[in-house]
Amino acid sequence: MASATYNHRKYQPVEPVTGFTRTWPDRQVTEAPIWASVDLRDGNQALLEPMNVAQKQRLWHLLVKLGIKEIEVGFPSASQPDYDFTRWLIEENQIPDDVSIQVLVQAREELIAKTFEALKGVNKAVVHVYNSTSRIQRERVFGMGRDEIKDIAVRGARWVKEYAEKYPETDWTFQYSPESFTSTEVDYAVEVCDAVMDVWQPTPEKRCILNLPTTVEVGPPNHFADQVEYFCQHLNRRDSAIISVHTHNDRGGAVASAELALMAGADRVEGTLLGNGERTGNMDIVTLAINLYSQGVDPQLDLSNPDEIIQTCTECTGLPIHPRHPWIGELVYTAFSGSHQDAIRKSLKQQQSDEPWQVAYLPIDPTDLGRDYQAVIRVNSQSGKGGMTFLLERDFGISIPRWLQLELAPIVQQTSEQQGGELDSQIIHDLLIQHFVQDKAPVSMEGYRIERAGDNETLAASIRVEGLEQSIEGKGKGAMAAFINAWQARTGLDIHVVDYAEHAMGEGSDVAAAAYVQLNVAGQRVSGMAVDADTVSASLKAVVSGLNRSGTATQTVSVDQAQQA
Ligand code: KIV
Ligand code: ZN
């Protein structure tokens, strides 16, 4: 039974954004945004157990290595470990020339003073000041009106400017966030940000950052994009501001919100690796960056080794990654469904290295991310022919024809069901050999001689039947037809070749050959397979496999039949 409070009527939809020209749906993202990581601040403050110094240092090195140029390293006025970490970065010369550290601070003078103290001696830095602006925060948390809340922002901006002037050796960038922007009336958010810019007097050459957060994601991504585009169109000095977005994932739309916000005019995106952060997390930089990559856009981040990212993040945060995490989860290049496997196998075979990627069910080439095709296909009881065919081809150079795929598939499926899980290529190979290669008993072929006369061949074969050596001879068009004719004469059975296939197992002159035959033996279809050093021998042995499998191999012609013959 539903709980007593389960009632959707408690909730209201977001109000549509009006009074602007919506252009973003027709835009495309063609270049990477400015990336800003908040792993060491927003991510860290959301951990049950915040990172220790060593973990923060390790994550810092990874962020730098990936190519992130703006990194929020903490809230030094509110946390001693964050203060100490900021000092370590500066005093130990850990900040590369092209990287800016960023620190967060509330719009309060004593905290701003301490923040600048923490940054003393840094070459360049972003000072990020914020206050909450939404109606709920104004009315229910602070009990203040619009002007009072705007004043908090303006005062904070003034203090930031004043303290920055005390440290002229540093190249400062100022950042302001109207916290809870998504729940703030958008015209009021513009009013507050205009007021902050009036204090900072940024220019197109020395821009400030205005960071628009979905502090709590309360609406769909298209609504956020509308808010961002409205904001960009109404801000007094748009050309003097870098518009940044900072999205959270309450509705599962953090990445989509950021992506649509880029279409709507945002220049910069704040997020974390793998999406760690308050509640459902921050926007996942890895996902958004690979989304862009998959559209042919250079993300300006090196994400070619996601395993390193996963290992570092999970070890630093203590949080596991979902096996189906977009782009880099353990299972994302694995297809269990037979039709998917078949489509992947066919398209991989046709994919040329010099053409755009066109592989069904694989939106990007897994090898780009250090994953290989090993993980692409697994075979379980849900799989059809595609998966096992792919694995046999890939690992053994065996390309079984379609009719044999149809016969092998249920055997594979049954085995998987019995074993209760996934089968590897070795097991599938063993099943194939065990069921279809039966060229040793009760009949085996020990040797043969062929004489050619025009179109016809005469084949003399020495066979062993239940241990006894015997000879048979027959004529026909080709060795196989001659052999079957000899066999028909011996057994009196009606035998036809329904289908036949052969191939070299690999490249070069000394590779083995595989042969497959489907026979009709006295009205019953039966398949056989053999592998041998030469093609003719493989094909004759494949026939022997088929005959042995038919259960008729030891039958010999009756006296009556022999007399009639
Ligand atoms: O989510 C948020 O609003 C924040 C701000 C401090 C930017 O983290
Ligand atoms: Zn946040």
Side-chain angles (χ1 to χ4, degrees):
M1 214 176 77
S3 85
T5 69
Y6 186 75
N7 180 2
H8 64 273
R9 290 183 189 82
K10 277 199 291 205
Y11 305 105
Q12 290 177 329
V14 286
E15 275 192 22
V17 182
T18 55
F20 77 112
T21 311
R22 183 183 294 110
T23 68
W24 64 262
D26 294 327
R27 303 235 197 95
Q28 279 192 326
V29 181
T30 54
E31 57 185 49
I34 302 166
W35 299 107
S37 149
V38 293
D39 290 80
L40 297 165
R41 196 276 300 170
D42 217 344
N44 192 38
Q45 78 188 37
L47 294 174
L48 237 61
E49 206 179 316
M51 284 178 262
N52 59 32
V53 176
Q55 286 166 327
K56 271 193 132 183
Q57 290 172 348
R58 186 167 168 210
L59 196 47
W60 160 265
H61 288 306
L62 176 70
L63 294 164
V64 170
K65 184 172 169 188
L66 298 179
I68 300 181
K69 304 295 180 205
E70 297 185 12
I71 303 175
E72 191 163 81
V73 295
F75 205 146
S77 62
S79 140
Q80 191 60 40
D82 283 8
Y83 189 99
D84 295 343
F85 182 68
T86 309
R87 291 313 307 157
W88 172 80
L89 288 167
I90 298 166
E91 283 163 21
E92 301 295 324
N93 278 323
Q94 295 293 322
I95 310 167
D97 289 346
D98 60 350
V99 173
S100 275
I101 59 168
Q102 170 174 320
V103 291
L104 182 69
V105 62
Q106 283 174 357
R108 285 166 48 191
E109 184 173 10
E110 71 283 9
L111 301 183
I112 290 171
K114 185 149 189 208
T115 300
F116 278 92
E117 194 187 296
L119 289 169
K120 196 167 188 295
V122 71
N123 289 338
K124 57 178 175 180
V126 179
V127 178
H128 177 189
V129 63
Y130 75 98
N131 69 315
S132 264
T133 53
S134 70
R135 187 186 57 75
I136 295 179
Q137 296 267 5
R138 293 192 313 259
E139 293 174 2
R140 304 219 161 176
V141 181
F142 300 105
M144 290 182 184
R146 283 185 175 216
D147 288 346
E148 286 167 291
I149 292 288
K150 184 169 70 176
D151 282 349
I152 294 177
V154 169
R155 277 201 305 273
R158 276 201 203 109
W159 286 317
V160 166
K161 191 172 180 217
E162 281 165 24
Y163 278 88
E165 281 161 5
K166 296 185 185 172
Y167 300 90
E169 67 281 7
T170 297
D171 177 8
W172 298 110
T173 298
F174 302 149
Q175 171 168 338
Y176 172 70
S177 292
E179 206 236 46
S180 60
F181 166 77
T182 26
S183 302
T184 302
E185 305 85 330
V186 68
D187 60 331
Y188 176 62
V190 172
E191 184 185 323
V192 174
C193 291
D194 275 340
V196 167
M197 285 180 89
D198 286 346
V199 175
W200 284 341
Q201 294 290 319
T203 63
E205 292 71 42
K206 182 71 185 157
R207 294 185 288 173
C208 69
I209 300 169
L210 296 177
N211 185 46
L212 308 179
T214 66
T215 303
V216 180
E217 187 182 43
V218 291
N222 60 304
H223 184 259
F224 183 57
D226 281 356
Q227 291 176 309
V228 171
E229 186 154 32
Y230 178 105
F231 187 91
C232 291
Q233 286 177 11
H234 289 79
L235 195 71
N236 279 338
R237 296 183 238 195
R238 168 68 186 91
D239 62 352
S240 300
I242 293 166
I243 303 300
S244 176
V245 292
H246 171 115
T247 55
H248 279 272
N249 203 33
D250 299 82
R251 296 167 45 106
V255 169
S257 292
E259 207 161 345
L260 298 195
L262 291 176
M263 292 161 67
D267 312 295
R268 179 182 188 270
V269 176
E270 290 193 349
T272 60
L273 301 177
L274 312 186
N276 176 37
E278 289 284 11
R279 304 179 308 282
T280 49
N282 282 80
M283 201 282 313
D284 175 7
I285 291 179
V286 176
T287 301
L288 179 54
I290 304 180
N291 284 0
L292 300 182
Y293 177 85
S294 73
Q295 298 297 302
V297 175
D298 178 357
Q300 306 276 331
L301 295 178
D302 179 1
L303 302 172
S304 60
N305 188 0
D307 288 345
E308 185 188 15
I309 301 174
I310 294 168
Q311 196 182 1
T312 307
C313 289
T314 53
E315 286 177 13
C316 290
T317 63
L319 293 171
I321 167 174
H322 197 284
R324 299 202 185 275
H325 191 101
W327 302 119
I328 60 171
E330 189 208 329
L331 291 180
V332 299
Y333 302 108
T334 308
F336 287 91
S337 137
S339 62
H340 291 202
Q341 293 170 354
D342 195 45
I344 291 171
R345 186 179 59 84
K346 285 181 179 148
S347 16
L348 278 177
K349 218 170 182 172
Q350 291 174 57
Q351 179 66 38
Q352 303 295 315
S353 55
D354 57 352
E355 64 171 1
W357 184 251
Q358 298 167 75
V359 177
Y361 299 107
L362 289 181
I364 63 166
D365 181 349
T367 61
D368 295 357
L369 301 180
R371 304 289 164 87
D372 56 27
Y373 301 136
Q374 291 286 338
V376 171
I377 300 226
R378 295 182 180 188
V379 174
N380 65 11
S381 61
Q382 302 304 305
S383 314
K385 306 173 300 298
M388 61 179 203
T389 308
F390 177 88
L391 293 178
L392 288 170
E393 262 174 31
R394 186 195 66 191
D395 293 349
F396 299 96
I398 290 177
S399 302
I400 55 174
R402 200 174 150 68
W403 39 269
L404 194 52
Q405 293 174 21
L406 290 168
E407 284 191 60
L408 181 60
I411 299 171
V412 168
Q413 183 167 359
Q414 207 182 15
T415 309
S416 168
E417 278 164 4
Q418 278 160 2
Q419 297 194 357
E422 193 184 311
L423 301 183
D424 65 17
S425 61
Q426 187 62 52
I427 295 180
I428 294 163
H429 176 261
D430 294 350
L431 287 171
L432 174 73
I433 302 298
Q434 180 194 329
H435 283 265
F436 296 98
V437 180
Q438 289 188 20
D439 57 352
K440 298 282 183 291
V443 175
S444 65
M445 203 196 57
E446 304 298 311
Y448 62 89
R449 200 164 24 83
I450 299 173
E451 277 169 22
R452 208 159 269 131
D455 261 2
N456 267 331
E457 307 202 9
T458 303
L459 178 124
S462 100
I463 57 172
R464 195 178 279 272
V465 182
E466 294 179 313
L468 290 175
E469 190 117 1
Q470 300 179 17
S471 303
I472 53 169
E473 196 174 300
K475 288 188 198 324
K477 279 193 177 164
M480 195 157 66
F483 185 71
I484 286 174
N485 284 339
W487 203 265
Q488 293 199 99
R490 177 188 152 77
T491 58
L493 293 169
D494 204 11
I495 303 172
H496 306 282
V497 175
V498 181
D499 222 323
Y500 172 73
E502 66 182 38
H503 63 82
M505 292 167 64
E507 281 168 22
S509 53
D510 57 353
V511 293
Y516 317 87
V517 67
Q518 191 175 39
L519 301 172
N520 184 312
V521 182
Q524 292 295 315
R525 281 197 175 177
V526 62
S527 301
M529 172 187 168
V531 174
D532 206 288
D534 83 276
T535 318
V536 176
S537 183
S539 66
L540 298 180
K541 286 182 176 177
V543 173
V544 172
S545 287
L547 294 171
N548 282 333
R549 292 191 72 230
S550 74
T552 62
T554 52
Q555 181 169 327
T556 47
V557 73
S558 68
V559 177
D560 286 355
Q561 285 169 316
Q563 277 169 355
Q564 280 167 22

